């Protein structure tokens, strides 16, 4: 077998493995100017990319904004709104799991993240959701607790273990790496749990489609 044939076969094997990977949509919840969210998100994506069983899709609500005015029940979307949703909805539909990266605003989570959640329904059904939060003393944990209630209403399964950064600006070095090794260990634990649930629920949806 020639080197070229081996290379072609190897690429085919890698492509097949990539297609079997679990797809994880990472939602960047903050759209505030000067936000810290991208630092936390890039750190998390480094953990996702280091794994061989997960494929990450970063959905940044600054880059892909969604409409804020909902149509009447049964009403049609204006063309511009439909285009905005088309940039996000299929990606959520294709995801096997989600991770929300969120700060805490007034003991809750940002309005743009709630807006993104509310524009969708079946995309969340029967899928797991993990959380990475950041903030001041609370580390965004109160935002996570409220997100658990919201996602339960949408038939999603939230992961028990979370990652939280208290005093987030002091938690990363200039290269965007977490200063405390415990954060990396927490990310691994959360992603391990997310992977277990994502695989189990994907198998279940393939066997019996989820019915709300």
């Amino acid at each position: 077998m020639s080197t070229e044939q081996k290379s072609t076969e190897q690429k085919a094997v890698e492509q097949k493995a990539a297609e079997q990977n679990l797809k994880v949509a990472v939602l960047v919840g903050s759209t505030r100017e000067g936000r810290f969210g991208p630092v936390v998100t890039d750190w998390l994506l480094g953990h996702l990319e280091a794994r061989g069983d997960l494929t990450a899709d970063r959905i940044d609500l600054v880059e892909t904004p969604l409409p804020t005015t909902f149509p009447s029940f049964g009403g049609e979307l204006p063309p511009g709104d439909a285009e905005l949703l088309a940039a996000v909805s299929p990606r959520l539909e294709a995801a096997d799991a989600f991770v929300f990266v969120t700060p805490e605003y007034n003991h809750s989570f940002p309005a743009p993240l709630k807006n993104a959640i509310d524009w969708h329904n079946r995309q969340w059904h029967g899928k797991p959701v993990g959380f990475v939060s950041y903030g001041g003393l609370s580390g965004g944990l109160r935002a996570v607790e409220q997100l658990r209630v919201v996602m339960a209403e949408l038939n999603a399964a939230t992961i028990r273990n979370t990652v939280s950064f208290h005093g987030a600006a002091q938690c990363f070095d200039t290269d965007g790496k977490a200063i405390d090794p415990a954060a990396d260990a927490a990310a691994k634990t959360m992603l391990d749990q997310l992977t277990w649930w994502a695989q189990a629920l994907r198998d279940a949806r393939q066997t019996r489609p989820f019915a709300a």
Side-chain angles (χ1 to χ4, degrees), residues 142-198:
R142 290 172 294 203
V144 170
E145 290 309 302
Q146 294 210 14
L147 278 164
R148 291 187 187 280
V149 177
V150 172
M151 299 315 295
E153 174 64 18
L154 291 163
N155 296 293
T158 59
I159 302 303
R160 177 191 180 278
N161 284 58
T162 66
V163 183
S164 60
F165 291 98
H166 306 255
Q170 287 74 50
C171 292
F172 295 84
D173 64 19
T174 55
D175 294 323
K177 295 180 180 179
I179 293 173
D180 187 349
D184 297 309
K188 181 182 184 304
T189 298
M190 185 271 287
L191 291 175
D192 284 346
Q193 292 184 359
L194 186 75
T195 300
W196 189 93
W197 280 100

